[in-house]
Amino acid sequence: AQKITQTQPGMFVQEKEAVTLDCTYDTSDPSYGLFWYKQPSSGEMIFLIYQGSYDQQNATEGRYSLNFQKARKSANLVISASQLGDSAMYFCAMREGPAAGNKLTFGGGTRVLVKP
Amino acid sequence: NAGVMQNPRHLVRRRGQEARLRCSPMKGHSHVYWYRQLPEEGLKFMVYLQKENIIDESGMPKERFSAEFPKEGPSILRIQQVVRGDSAAYFCASSDYSGNTIYFGEGSWLTVV
């Protein structure tokens, strides 16, 4: 079974609108972390946001927020007020508990194209 | 993202040559990870190292690939006798002990001709 699933291979969003990128995960470990990364066309991987499994509140970082629904095992990324520079691939990733080390398992990514 | 340094950024090797990729972790980070990204795919874990120790190499191919993180100097990912299928982007990441913030370098793009 896939540990991290991103069901949207690609999507368009109008500039200044909000966009939600879906991510579901599968783990039986009670301690885990969820990450989102942005990969623009230049190739680097940019850390956006982190949510720990025990965190009570949804994580937010500027225009990025993580809609964490633990019971549904989903960790959707919301980008508010989209900008042209948000056009990129976005990857969701999970780090499972101490026994699994700190390695990340990545989803297949969602390509976002922001239209002016 | 600033602070994890990888070089070279681009590397071209002929089949059968060796490729060496270097990574200096972010200041204060002692945990280093290597990932590989094939075109149009997500990153796949290869190896997790701390200083002088390989913690988890479950994602490393059994042959031709090796990694080290010496007491002094950068972490090295070494690929011997490269083949065309090794062409990919290789990313290094680092974290502190908690692993709650894992930062990546800009990647090294290996092309085997």
Side-chain angles (χ1 to χ4, degrees):
Chain A
Q2 293 273 13
K3 288 204 170 187
I4 292 283
T5 303
Q6 295 180 252
T7 57
Q8 306 151 308
M11 55 198 307
F12 290 97
V13 60
Q14 199 65 43
E15 192 179 9
K16 299 180 185 176
E17 291 186 350
V19 61
T20 297
L21 308 183
D22 295 340
C23 174
T24 56
Y25 59 92
D26 182 26
T27 182
S28 56
D29 198 319
S31 175
Y32 54 89
L34 297 155
F35 299 74
W36 277 92
Y37 290 89
K38 172 184 177 181
Q39 187 175 38
S41 57
S42 50
E44 69 268 32
M45 292 288 289
I46 303 168
F47 169 76
L48 295 179
I49 198 166
Y50 167 81
Q51 179 85 43
S53 59
Y54 294 121
D55 293 344
Q56 294 296 316
Q57 293 189 324
N58 286 345
T60 60
E61 289 285 348
R63 293 187 299 111
Y64 304 107
S65 60
L66 201 152
N67 183 3
F68 183 43
Q69 297 189 40
K70 198 170 183 177
R72 294 185 177 184
K73 294 190 175 180
S74 76
N76 298 340
L77 177 71
V78 179
I79 307 173
S80 61
S82 297
Q83 302 172 355
L84 296 178
D86 294 335
S87 295
M89 281 289 284
Y90 289 82
F91 291 98
C92 179
M94 177 174 65
R95 171 182 54 77
E96 293 177 277
N102 284 338
K103 63 185 179 187
L104 295 174
T105 303
F106 282 81
T110 296
R111 186 177 299 279
V112 172
L113 185 60
V114 180
K115 298 187 292 184
Chain B
N1 191 24
V4 181
M5 304 300 293
Q6 285 190 249
N7 68 84
R9 190 83 197 271
H10 297 279
L11 182 64
V12 179
R13 284 287 178 266
R14 295 186 184 280
R15 282 178 292 173
Q17 291 185 321
E18 179 179 283
R20 284 196 184 197
L21 310 176
R22 289 175 291 278
C23 170
S24 296
M26 201 166 187
K27 189 175 181 180
H29 285 183
S30 58
H31 299 235
V32 166
Y33 318 83
W34 286 94
Y35 289 80
R36 176 164 66 176
Q37 184 180 33
L38 296 172
E40 302 302 318
E41 293 186 11
L43 278 68
K44 296 286 195 299
F45 169 79
M46 299 181 75
V47 63
Y48 166 31
L49 310 106
Q50 295 177 26
K51 285 282 187 182
E52 300 184 283
N53 281 309
I54 296 174
I55 306 303
D56 181 352
E57 57 182 347
S58 58
M60 287 278 272
K62 297 287 184 231
E63 297 177 350
R64 303 187 298 108
F65 285 73
S66 62
E68 62 177 9
F69 189 17
K71 188 176 180 181
E72 301 290 337
S75 175
I76 306 284
L77 179 68
R78 183 183 294 112
I79 311 171
Q80 295 177 303
Q81 299 173 356
V82 296
V83 302
R84 287 223 171 107
D86 297 333
S87 295
Y90 292 84
F91 285 91
C92 172
S94 74
S95 75
D96 62 12
Y97 71 94
S98 73
N100 290 344
T101 47
I102 301 176
Y103 291 99
F104 283 79
E106 293 187 327
S108 290
W109 269 257
L110 171 65
T111 302
V112 180
V113 296

XYZ file of all heavy atoms in Angstrom, chain A residues 6-68:
512
model
N -0.814 11.388 -3.234
C -1.262 12.683 -3.728
C -2.060 12.405 -4.988
O -1.506 11.987 -5.996
C -0.058 13.596 -4.016
C 0.727 13.950 -2.758
C 1.914 14.847 -3.048
O 3.066 14.415 -2.989
N 1.639 16.105 -3.371
N -3.345 12.635 -4.923
C -4.238 12.187 -5.992
C -4.333 13.154 -7.153
O -4.876 12.810 -8.201
C -5.652 11.941 -5.448
O -6.104 13.153 -4.831
C -5.657 10.819 -4.433
N -3.827 14.345 -6.994
C -3.936 15.369 -8.032
C -2.595 15.491 -8.758
O -1.679 16.102 -8.251
C -4.288 16.724 -7.418
C -5.513 16.720 -6.533
C -5.412 17.792 -5.449
O -4.415 17.859 -4.735
N -6.420 18.615 -5.317
N -2.474 14.942 -9.948
C -1.199 15.054 -10.651
C -0.891 16.485 -11.071
O 0.271 16.890 -11.121
C -1.358 14.140 -11.866
C -2.809 13.915 -11.999
C -3.428 14.105 -10.655
N -1.945 17.246 -11.391
C -1.720 18.621 -11.807
C -2.975 19.446 -11.642
O -4.087 18.920 -11.672
N -2.780 20.733 -11.447
C -3.938 21.612 -11.333
C -3.580 23.049 -11.682
O -2.434 23.473 -11.510
C -4.551 21.531 -9.939
C -3.616 21.807 -8.794
S -4.268 21.187 -7.232
C -5.879 21.914 -7.181
N -4.601 23.742 -12.180
C -4.474 25.162 -12.466
C -5.156 25.946 -11.351
O -6.152 25.504 -10.779
C -5.154 25.513 -13.798
C -4.435 24.974 -14.998
C -4.839 23.785 -15.583
C -3.374 25.666 -15.556
C -4.186 23.291 -16.696
C -2.712 25.182 -16.671
C -3.129 23.995 -17.247
N -4.614 27.103 -11.061
C -5.251 27.990 -10.087
C -5.095 29.424 -10.589
O -4.053 29.784 -11.166
C -4.650 27.811 -8.689
C -3.157 28.114 -8.662
C -5.377 28.670 -7.674
N -6.126 30.204 -10.383
C -6.079 31.608 -10.781
C -5.269 32.397 -9.759
O -5.377 32.172 -8.544
C -7.506 32.154 -10.852
C -7.673 33.417 -11.667
C -7.378 33.211 -13.137
O -7.784 32.225 -13.735
N -6.658 34.158 -13.707
N -4.459 33.299 -10.270
C -3.679 34.170 -9.382
C -4.602 34.827 -8.361
O -5.736 35.208 -8.683
C -2.971 35.234 -10.217
C -1.920 36.025 -9.486
C -1.231 37.045 -10.384
O -1.693 37.261 -11.531
O -0.223 37.627 -9.946
N -4.124 34.919 -7.135
C -4.799 35.536 -5.993
C -5.858 34.639 -5.357
O -6.396 34.998 -4.298
C -5.416 36.892 -6.347
C -4.387 37.920 -6.819
C -5.038 39.236 -7.149
C -3.987 40.200 -7.726
N -4.582 41.483 -8.159
N -6.137 33.504 -5.966
C -7.075 32.581 -5.340
C -6.332 31.592 -4.449
O -5.122 31.424 -4.545
C -7.881 31.837 -6.406
C -8.845 32.744 -7.152
C -9.725 31.969 -8.102
O -9.470 30.782 -8.329
O -10.670 32.574 -8.639
N -7.090 30.910 -3.603
C -6.502 29.873 -2.748
C -6.562 28.529 -3.465
O -7.420 28.304 -4.328
C -7.249 29.792 -1.425
N -5.640 27.652 -3.120
C -5.625 26.308 -3.700
C -5.318 25.302 -2.600
O -4.537 25.584 -1.686
C -4.590 26.203 -4.854
C -3.172 26.488 -4.363
C -4.660 24.851 -5.532
N -5.984 24.158 -2.685
C -5.768 23.079 -1.709
C -5.169 21.879 -2.418
O -5.725 21.389 -3.414
C -7.088 22.677 -1.036
O -7.600 23.796 -0.313
C -6.862 21.527 -0.062
N -4.056 21.407 -1.906
C -3.384 20.229 -2.452
C -3.607 19.062 -1.490
O -3.309 19.171 -0.304
C -1.885 20.505 -2.622
C -1.511 21.768 -3.394
C 0.000 21.858 -3.552
C -2.193 21.824 -4.733
N -4.113 17.967 -2.042
C -4.494 16.835 -1.206
C -3.302 15.928 -0.899
O -2.421 15.713 -1.744
C -5.573 16.002 -1.914
C -6.869 16.775 -2.095
O -7.078 17.771 -1.374
O -7.674 16.373 -2.956
N -3.325 15.391 0.293
C -2.320 14.405 0.701
C -2.948 13.485 1.730
O -3.461 13.956 2.745
C -1.097 15.090 1.300
S 0.133 13.952 1.993
N -2.941 12.183 1.473
C -3.351 11.217 2.477
C -2.172 10.306 2.776
O -1.291 10.101 1.928
C -4.556 10.378 2.027
O -4.230 9.731 0.785
C -5.782 11.247 1.833
N -2.168 9.774 3.983
C -1.027 8.973 4.402
C -1.512 7.713 5.105
O -2.674 7.620 5.519
C -0.098 9.793 5.304
C -0.773 10.324 6.547
C -0.750 9.607 7.738
C -1.435 11.560 6.533
C -1.375 10.089 8.870
C -2.051 12.038 7.667
C -2.024 11.315 8.835
O -2.648 11.790 9.959
N -0.617 6.790 5.250
C -0.951 5.513 5.874
C 0.183 5.113 6.803
O 1.310 4.891 6.347
C -1.173 4.438 4.803
C -1.571 3.105 5.395
O -2.150 3.093 6.512
O -1.322 2.065 4.751
N -0.104 5.038 8.069
C 0.875 4.574 9.043
C 0.165 4.051 10.265
O -0.923 4.516 10.601
C 1.852 5.701 9.445
O 2.810 5.175 10.373
C 1.125 6.876 10.083
N 0.772 3.082 10.925
C 0.240 2.591 12.190
C 1.054 3.128 13.366
O 0.756 2.831 14.522
C 0.254 1.064 12.211
O 1.560 0.589 11.975
N 2.052 3.925 13.041
C 2.903 4.496 14.081
C 2.204 5.711 14.690
O 1.743 6.575 13.956
C 4.235 4.927 13.461
C 5.323 5.120 14.482
O 5.042 5.684 15.559
O 6.462 4.719 14.203
N 2.079 5.788 16.016
C 1.395 6.941 16.613
C 2.220 8.234 16.542
O 1.677 9.332 16.664
C 1.189 6.513 18.074
C 2.278 5.519 18.324
C 2.498 4.802 17.024
N 3.513 8.086 16.339
C 4.390 9.258 16.287
C 4.932 9.429 14.885
O 5.683 8.571 14.400
C 5.551 9.086 17.277
O 6.467 10.158 17.163
N 4.547 10.497 14.226
C 5.001 10.726 12.864
C 4.957 12.214 12.565
O 4.391 13.014 13.336
C 4.149 9.952 11.839
C 2.660 10.203 11.930
C 2.058 11.234 11.216
C 1.858 9.407 12.736
C 0.705 11.472 11.321
C 0.501 9.637 12.846
C -0.083 10.661 12.136
O -1.430 10.893 12.228
N 5.575 12.600 11.485
C 5.580 13.991 11.054
C 5.229 14.084 9.587
O 5.542 13.182 8.804
N 4.595 15.158 9.227
C 4.186 15.374 7.843
C 4.814 16.669 7.332
O 4.837 17.678 8.036
C 2.667 15.438 7.748
C 1.998 14.120 8.162
C 0.598 14.349 8.640
C 2.051 13.128 7.031
N 5.332 16.613 6.137
C 6.062 17.724 5.542
C 5.487 18.047 4.167
O 5.007 17.159 3.452
C 7.544 17.343 5.334
C 8.302 16.995 6.582
C 8.085 15.789 7.236
C 9.258 17.855 7.079
C 8.796 15.455 8.380
C 9.989 17.533 8.214
C 9.753 16.336 8.859
N 5.622 19.309 3.801
C 5.353 19.719 2.429
C 6.592 20.436 1.887
O 7.190 21.273 2.587
C 4.146 20.644 2.338
C 2.835 19.923 2.311
C 2.033 19.601 3.361
C 2.168 19.426 1.143
N 0.916 18.943 2.922
C 0.962 18.819 1.568
C 2.458 19.457 -0.232
C 0.055 18.241 0.675
C 1.565 18.880 -1.110
C 0.374 18.287 -0.660
N 6.916 20.095 0.641
C 8.037 20.735 -0.043
C 7.574 21.251 -1.396
O 6.700 20.667 -2.038
C 9.188 19.737 -0.267
C 9.907 19.331 0.995
C 9.460 18.242 1.746
C 11.019 20.025 1.443
C 10.114 17.866 2.913
C 11.686 19.649 2.606
C 11.216 18.578 3.326
O 11.868 18.205 4.481
N 8.234 22.325 -1.817
C 7.985 22.913 -3.128
C 9.222 22.701 -3.998
O 10.355 22.923 -3.547
C 7.731 24.414 -2.958
C 7.632 25.217 -4.243
C 7.481 26.701 -3.917
C 7.443 27.566 -5.166
N 7.329 29.011 -4.829
N 8.996 22.263 -5.221
C 10.113 22.095 -6.145
C 9.834 22.904 -7.412
O 9.087 22.473 -8.295
C 10.351 20.622 -6.498
C 11.616 20.415 -7.329
C 11.928 18.957 -7.594
O 11.033 18.142 -7.821
N 13.216 18.609 -7.552
N 10.397 24.096 -7.524
C 10.200 24.877 -8.747
C 10.979 24.267 -9.909
O 11.710 23.286 -9.726
C 10.748 26.262 -8.355
C 11.672 26.012 -7.212
C 11.206 24.768 -6.514
N 10.837 24.885 -11.065
C 11.471 24.329 -12.267
C 12.991 24.339 -12.163
O 13.668 23.564 -12.846
C 11.023 25.109 -13.508
O 11.324 26.479 -13.360
N 13.539 25.166 -11.310
C 14.991 25.191 -11.114
C 15.501 23.960 -10.353
O 16.698 23.695 -10.341
C 15.402 26.465 -10.381
O 14.612 26.644 -9.235
N 14.585 23.217 -9.733
C 14.956 21.903 -9.207
C 15.161 21.769 -7.721
O 15.091 20.656 -7.200
N 15.424 22.854 -7.017
C 15.695 22.687 -5.583
C 14.435 22.295 -4.816
O 13.322 22.514 -5.280
C 16.312 23.965 -4.993
C 15.379 25.152 -4.923
C 15.448 26.036 -6.142
O 15.697 25.515 -7.257
O 15.243 27.248 -5.978
N 14.612 21.697 -3.668
C 13.509 21.280 -2.801
C 13.436 22.267 -1.639
O 14.350 22.356 -0.829
C 13.747 19.871 -2.245
C 13.678 18.785 -3.291
S 12.008 18.480 -3.854
C 11.316 17.683 -2.415
N 12.322 22.968 -1.560
C 12.162 24.027 -0.573
C 11.181 23.570 0.500
O 10.028 23.254 0.192
C 11.661 25.327 -1.239
C 12.639 25.760 -2.342
C 11.472 26.431 -0.211
C 12.108 26.856 -3.233
N 11.637 23.545 1.746
C 10.780 23.171 2.868
C 9.720 24.245 3.076
O 10.020 25.433 3.134
C 11.643 23.017 4.124
C 10.870 22.895 5.396
C 10.232 21.714 5.724
C 10.758 23.962 6.274
C 9.516 21.593 6.897
C 10.048 23.852 7.446
C 9.422 22.670 7.756
N 8.456 23.813 3.184
C 7.364 24.761 3.367
C 6.791 24.719 4.779
O 6.634 25.755 5.426
C 6.236 24.470 2.366
C 6.544 24.660 0.894
C 5.323 24.302 0.055
C 7.002 26.069 0.603
N 6.442 23.504 5.231
C 5.672 23.434 6.467
C 5.770 22.038 7.055
O 5.960 21.053 6.330
C 4.197 23.837 6.184
C 3.447 24.210 7.453
C 3.481 22.757 5.380
C 2.129 24.930 7.161
N 5.654 21.964 8.376
C 5.735 20.694 9.107
C 4.579 20.579 10.094
O 4.205 21.559 10.744
C 7.065 20.617 9.862
C 7.119 19.504 10.883
C 7.391 18.202 10.488
C 6.870 19.746 12.240
C 7.426 17.171 11.419
C 6.904 18.711 13.161
C 7.182 17.430 12.746
O 7.205 16.411 13.660
N 4.038 19.360 10.201
C 2.988 19.065 11.187
C 3.349 17.787 11.920
O 3.546 16.745 11.296
C 1.636 18.872 10.486
C 0.479 18.535 11.396
C -0.173 19.767 12.005
O -0.389 20.768 11.332
N -0.508 19.699 13.269
N 3.444 17.846 13.227
C 3.690 16.656 14.023
C 2.382 15.981 14.379
O 1.345 16.637 14.543
N 2.424 14.665 14.553
C 1.187 13.918 14.798
C 0.544 14.289 16.125
O -0.664 14.115 16.305
C 1.448 12.416 14.750
O 2.416 12.036 15.717
N 1.319 14.796 17.061
C 0.771 15.161 18.367
C 0.453 16.657 18.477
O -0.012 17.104 19.524
C 1.761 14.774 19.470
C 1.964 13.287 19.595
C 3.226 12.713 19.446
C 0.897 12.434 19.861
C 3.418 11.350 19.563
C 1.075 11.066 19.975
C 2.337 10.532 19.828
O 2.519 9.169 19.940
N 0.718 17.386 17.406
C 0.441 18.825 17.452
C -1.065 19.050 17.497
O -1.809 18.473 16.695
C 1.036 19.529 16.227
C 2.548 19.516 16.230
O 3.135 19.249 17.304
O 3.150 19.776 15.165
N -1.495 19.894 18.412
C -2.926 20.124 18.594
C -3.490 21.059 17.532
O -4.660 20.980 17.161
C -3.179 20.714 19.986
C -2.853 19.765 21.122
C -3.752 18.535 21.122
O -4.961 18.629 20.942
N -3.148 17.361 21.302
N -2.656 21.980 17.076
C -3.144 22.962 16.118
C -2.570 22.712 14.737
O -1.458 22.184 14.592
C -2.754 24.370 16.588
C -3.459 24.797 17.870
C -3.224 26.255 18.191
O -2.132 26.774 17.951
N -4.235 26.921 18.713
N -3.318 23.129 13.731
C -2.819 23.035 12.364
C -1.647 23.992 12.186
O -1.677 25.133 12.645
C -3.925 23.390 11.368
C -4.959 22.287 11.251
O -4.734 21.159 11.681
N -6.095 22.622 10.676
N -0.632 23.525 11.466
C 0.554 24.350 11.235
C 0.251 25.442 10.209
O -0.528 25.242 9.269
C 1.695 23.481 10.732
N 0.856 26.585 10.415
C 0.750 27.674 9.438
C 2.126 28.320 9.291
O 2.891 28.434 10.259
C -0.258 28.763 9.875
O 0.182 29.313 11.115
C -1.646 28.190 10.039
N 2.437 28.737 8.056
C 3.680 29.443 7.757
C 3.367 30.442 6.654
O 3.332 30.104 5.476
C 4.776 28.477 7.269
C 5.349 27.558 8.298
C 6.300 28.246 9.262
O 6.694 29.403 9.000
O 6.652 27.618 10.279
N 3.099 31.672 7.043
C 2.788 32.682 6.045
C 1.538 32.330 5.254
O 0.474 32.109 5.826
N 1.674 32.225 3.936
C 0.513 31.898 3.097
C 0.215 30.399 3.055
O -0.740 29.973 2.395
C 0.745 32.416 1.680
C 0.791 33.926 1.569
C 0.864 34.395 0.114
N 2.056 33.923 -0.570
C 2.036 33.011 -1.541
N 0.892 32.468 -1.940
N 3.165 32.656 -2.128
N 1.040 29.605 3.729
C 0.844 28.152 3.734
C 0.196 27.711 5.049
O 0.606 28.154 6.121
C 2.183 27.429 3.582
C 2.973 27.823 2.361
C 4.120 28.606 2.472
C 2.572 27.419 1.098
C 4.850 28.971 1.360
C 3.293 27.784 -0.032
C 4.421 28.559 0.106
O 5.137 28.923 -1.001
N -0.786 26.852 4.920
C -1.360 26.238 6.107
C -1.618 24.772 5.807
O -1.807 24.373 4.656
C -2.647 26.942 6.542
O -3.607 26.888 5.514
N -1.583 23.996 6.858
C -1.763 22.557 6.699
C -3.064 22.170 7.378
O -3.231 22.399 8.574
C -0.563 21.817 7.319
C -0.318 20.392 6.845
C 1.154 20.034 6.941
C -1.144 19.407 7.648
N -3.970 21.610 6.618
C -5.254 21.155 7.141
C -5.096 19.700 7.564
O -5.215 18.773 6.756
C -6.327 21.310 6.064
C -7.706 20.928 6.583
O -7.873 20.609 7.759
N -8.694 20.964 5.711
N -4.806 19.508 8.847
C -4.474 18.197 9.388
C -5.728 17.551 9.958
O -6.311 18.052 10.933
C -3.413 18.359 10.477
C -2.928 17.081 11.084
C -2.645 15.975 10.308
C -2.717 16.987 12.465
C -2.179 14.796 10.868
C -2.243 15.811 13.038
C -1.975 14.712 12.242
